[in-house]
Amino acid sequence: MREELIGEEGVKLLSRFKKLALAVSGGRDSMALLDWFATSGKYDGEFFVVHVNHNLRGENSDADCALVKEYCEEKGIKTDVYSEDVKGFCEKYGYGLEQGARTVRRNIFGDIIKSGQAERVVTAHHMQDFSESVLMHVFRGSGIDGLCGIKEDDGMLIRPLLYTDREKIERYIESRGVKYRDDESNSDTAYTRNFLRNEVIPLIKKRYPNLDGSLAAVARQAKYASLYICGESMSPKLIDGEAVLDVCALSQPEAVASSSIFKALEAIGARVDCEGVHIEAVKSLKDKKTGARVCLPHFVEVERHKDKLYFYYKKDKDESVYPLGETFCRIGGYDVFITCDKGDLTFDYAKIPAGAEVRTRREGDRFRRCNGREKSLGDFFTDEGIPLHKRDNIPLVVVGNEVLIVCGVEISDLVKTDKDTKNKRYISVRRS
C-alpha cells in the first residue's frame, strides 16, 4: 500500500497553482517531495526542479547535485541547477553560513517568481520544521509574528508538507525506495537549528511529547492576533529601494508600533534576524532629533529625518572620479546621463570649465544655487531636506571644490542657461 505523503490540505494548497518549481536539495524530505510530484498523479499542473549547489561541502555538494539530476533525467523532469559561492557571499555581506545560504536561495527563488517561470517555489518544510522555527523565534525575542511560525504560502514559497510529520516522510521514503543523501552538516550543533533539532527539542519532548501540536495551537492564536495588529499598523512607502515610514507610527500602541517596523523591514527584505532588542532601538528614534540613526543586522540602518524614518542598507561611499563626458557614467549607485534633447536639469555646457569631473562630495565643497548665494554643500543639503545617509553618494559635477551641478537636485548659478545660451545640455540621474 502506498504511503500518503501529502494530505488533503496540502493537495488543496498545490491545486491553486498551475506552474510550480520544486526546491530539491537531494536530502530525505525534498527527494520524497520530488517523488510524490513525479509519481502520485495528484498534481495536474506543470512543474520543474531547482537545485542550488552552495559549494560548502566539496565533493558531497556535487554528489547531492548529481543525485537530483539523475532522478530527474530518469523521470524526464526539467532541472535548473544554480552553483553559488555562499561562503564568499557571507563574507561580503556579514552573514553566518546558515542565514547566508538561506538568503542566496531566496534570492534565486524570488527571481524565478518575478520572471514568471513559476507561480510559487515548493519547499519540503514539514511539521517539525514548523516547531523548530517557532522556538527559534521565541528564543530570539522576535515578537508575535515569530510565534506564527512558517507560513504555508508566503507569496513566494509554498509548503504542502507542513501538515506532514517526519515519521510519515521516513515511511514514504522506505516504502517507495527513494534514494536520498544525508547532509553531514545536519549533525553539527554549531548551527542553531541543528542544536534545537538534535538536543533541545528531544529533551523537551521527554516532558511534553505533544510539543508539535502545542506549538501549532499557539501559532494559530498568534496568527489571529497578528492579523488584527497588522491591520491596525502603518505601512511604509518604498522609494528607491528604501522603506519610508512616518515617525508617528512609533506613537501607536507597542504591539502595533512593532508591526509597523516589521512591515518596513520586510519591504526592504531585512526582516530576518531582527530581534526584540533591535525593534526597541528603532522605537527609541521617536524621541530623537533629525539625523539620529540605529544600526541593525546585516548592514541595515534606520535614520530619522524630520517626521520620517528611513530603512535602508548601508552603502560604502563611492570615491570614484570621472572626467565629465557628454554621455554616461555610473557612480554612487546612480547612472548619470547627459543628453542634448531632454532630462531632469538643464545647463549651459559652454560654461563648464575645463577639467570638470563627476564625483561624490568632499570636505570643503561649496555650492552657489541658481539665483542664490554660495554656501557649504552640507548647508545646501540641509536646506533641501536631504537625509544624511543619502548625501555621501549623490553624484556631483565639480571643478575643484566648486560644485556646478548637484545631480537630480539643482544647477549652480555658474552654469545656468540664459538668453545667450547656444550649447544647452540636459542631465539626469537614475538608480543603477
Side-chain angles (χ1 to χ4, degrees), residues 317-379:
K317 189 177 188 301
D318 192 335
E319 301 287 359
S320 303
V321 180
Y322 299 96
L324 180 67
E326 293 193 45
T327 52
F328 166 83
C329 71
R330 177 169 290 170
I331 186 170
Y334 294 90
D335 293 335
V336 182
F337 303 91
I338 298 177
T339 61
C340 297
D341 50 0
K342 60 182 179 179
D344 299 334
L345 298 172
T346 311
F347 65 100
D348 190 330
Y349 194 75
K351 293 180 180 179
I352 299 287
E357 299 173 326
V358 181
R359 61 166 172 80
T360 55
R361 71 170 177 165
R362 292 178 183 169
E363 187 70 27
D365 283 345
R366 309 285 297 177
F367 182 69
R368 182 187 296 276
R369 68 186 314 155
C370 196
N371 298 318
R373 63 184 180 86
E374 186 179 70
K375 59 177 62 180
S376 72
L377 184 63
D379 286 346

Side-chain angles (χ1 to χ4, degrees), residues 30-42:
S30 65
M31 288 302 294
L33 178 69
L34 171 58
D35 185 76
W36 183 90
F37 265 85
T39 65
S40 73
K42 292 190 175 181

Side-chain angles (χ1 to χ4, degrees), residues 382-410:
T382 299
D383 291 345
E384 290 297 302
I386 296 174
L388 291 175
H389 72 275
K390 293 178 177 288
R391 298 181 184 186
D392 274 350
N393 282 313
I394 293 177
L396 309 171
V397 177
V398 301
V399 170
N401 285 117
E402 187 70 58
V403 178
L404 305 175
I405 303 174
V406 181
C407 297
V409 183
E410 190 165 344

